[in-house]
Amino acid sequence: MPDWDLGQLRALAAAADLGTLDAAARALHVTPSAVSQRIKALEQQVGAVLLRRERPVRPTAAGEPLVRLARQLDALTADATRHLADQPVPHVALAVNGDSLTTWLLPALAPLADRVVVQLVREDQDRSAALLRDGSVMAAVTAEAVAVQGCGVEALGVMRYRPYATPAFRDRWFGGGATAAALTVAPVVVFDAADRLQDRWLERRGADPLAPPRHLVPASADFATAVRLGFGWGMLPDQQSADDVAAGRLVPLDARAHVDVPLFWQQWSLRTRALDEVAEHVRRAARAALR
C-alpha cells in the first residue's frame, strides 16, 4: 500500500478545486513553487501525470482518484479532530437536483444548520453522480441506481411530475385536448438543454420533442414561475404544484399523465458522524415527501 503524503494530496486537490497553482498556494499558505513541487513528487510516486497544466488546471484520469482520496482524508481528519477537541463545525458537500432542493430537502437539513455546514451543489439528478466520482461531493440525491465506486446507494422514493399550464394557456393552445398536433406547436418550458422530462412526455404523446418553441429557465422556482406566468407548459413535481392546482392557477394537460423519476441516495462508504447525520435526516424527509 502506498505511503501517501497528505500535504502532497492536499496540494493536488487544492489545484484541482481552485484552477491554478497560485490560488492553491494562497489557500494552503505556501508558495506556488511549493505546490508545484508537491504535485511533481506525487506524480513521481504514482508514475503518471496527475494534473493537466491548462487554464484552469484539471486532474487527469489518474489524478481524479487521488483528488477524491484527499477530500476523503480531510473529511476523516476533521471528524477525528472534532472528537478530540473543540473544533470548527464540520462541512458536508452534497449534490442535489433543483426540484428536491426547492421542495423537501432544505427543510430536512434545517435542524442540522447549527452543527453541520452543508455545501449544496445543484445538479440535475441524472448528472449528479459524476460529482461523486470526482470527489467534489460526499453524497448526492441522484437518479443513478448503480453505486459509484467507493459509495453506497439506497432508494429514497419517486418524484412524480405532471404536465401543467395556466387555464388561459390551456384554452389557447389545447382547446381540442393535448393532441400530438397541438403539442408540436405549443411553447414548452424546459430547465436546460439536458432536461428530458418534457421530451419524454412529448414522445409518449407522439409529438416531436424538437418541434415546439422551448423556453429555457434554469432554476427550479423560476421554472415553476414561468409556467404560472404562461410562458408555456411544463412538467412540475406534485410537491411543487399542489398549491397552484388547488387555487386554480394551474391545470393538468392530462389528468392521468405523469412521469416518475426515482431518486437514490449515494454517499461515500467512508463514514463520518456529520455525513451519517445528514443521511439520516435526508432518509426521514424522503419517506415523508416522496412516493
Side-chain angles (χ1 to χ4, degrees):
M1 179 181 295
D3 185 13
W4 299 115
D5 183 294
L6 188 55
Q8 294 172 0
L9 291 170
R10 282 177 171 160
L12 178 66
D17 288 342
L18 300 174
T20 68
L21 299 189
D22 287 344
R26 288 193 295 271
L28 297 173
H29 306 291
V30 297
T31 65
S33 176
V35 171
S36 179
Q37 289 172 8
R38 291 176 187 181
I39 294 173
K40 287 179 180 177
L42 189 58
E43 288 176 329
Q44 289 174 352
Q45 178 182 356
V46 174
V49 175
L50 303 177
L51 204 65
R52 295 187 179 93
R53 270 66 169 181
E54 304 170 347
R55 284 191 175 273
V57 296
R58 294 184 298 117
T60 64
E64 287 177 356
L66 294 183
V67 170
R68 183 167 61 247
L69 173 63
R71 292 168 178 150
Q72 292 173 340
L73 289 174
D74 272 343
L76 282 177
T77 301
D79 193 57
T81 305
R82 188 166 60 95
H83 288 84
L84 295 173
D86 184 17
Q87 292 296 319
V89 179
H91 290 57
V92 173
L94 305 178
V96 58
N97 62 307
D99 290 335
S100 291
L101 187 61
T102 299
T103 55
W104 63 272
L105 191 73
L106 279 179
L109 300 178
L112 298 174
D114 62 345
R115 58 184 186 274
V116 178
V117 173
V118 179
Q119 299 171 317
L120 294 169
V121 180
R122 188 203 60 75
E123 184 56 276
D124 184 82
Q125 64 268 7
D126 294 316
R127 303 194 299 269
S128 54
L131 298 176
L132 280 169
R133 291 190 184 93
D134 66 19
S136 297
V137 298
M138 302 168 72
V141 177
T142 174
E144 190 161 328
V146 178
V148 172
Q149 185 176 7
C151 294
V153 61
E154 60 186 284
L156 289 176
V158 168
M159 288 196 82
R160 175 161 289 181
Y161 292 76
R162 306 177 198 269
Y164 286 108
T166 64
F169 187 93
R170 177 200 57 190
D171 294 343
R172 177 182 178 187
W173 294 96
F174 300 109
T179 63
L183 287 166
T184 298
V185 296
V188 57
V189 182
V190 297
F191 191 84
D192 59 22
D195 179 12
R196 286 275 304 156
L197 277 173
Q198 286 70 216
D199 293 352
R200 287 164 62 183
W201 190 64
L202 285 167
E203 290 167 351
R204 290 182 187 180
R205 306 291 291 200
D208 180 0
L210 300 179
R214 299 162 73 89
H215 298 289
L216 268 63
V217 184
S220 182
D222 296 334
F223 179 100
T225 298
V227 175
R228 291 188 204 102
L229 291 173
F231 277 70
W233 67 270
M235 305 293 293
L236 294 173
D238 289 348
Q239 296 89 339
Q240 195 175 24
S241 57
D243 290 344
D244 288 312
V245 173
R249 292 185 292 267
L250 292 177
V251 292
L253 299 185
D254 182 336
R256 296 172 297 175
H258 63 266
V259 173
D260 285 344
V261 176
L263 296 178
F264 300 86
W265 175 252
Q266 293 213 33
Q267 73 172 67
W268 289 354
S269 299
L270 207 60
R271 303 284 291 275
T272 71
R273 177 177 292 186
L275 181 54
D276 285 348
E277 276 194 287
V278 168
E280 182 53 35
H281 279 71
V282 169
R283 291 187 196 100
R284 197 180 307 150
R287 285 195 294 268
L290 304 179
R291 289 177 175 268

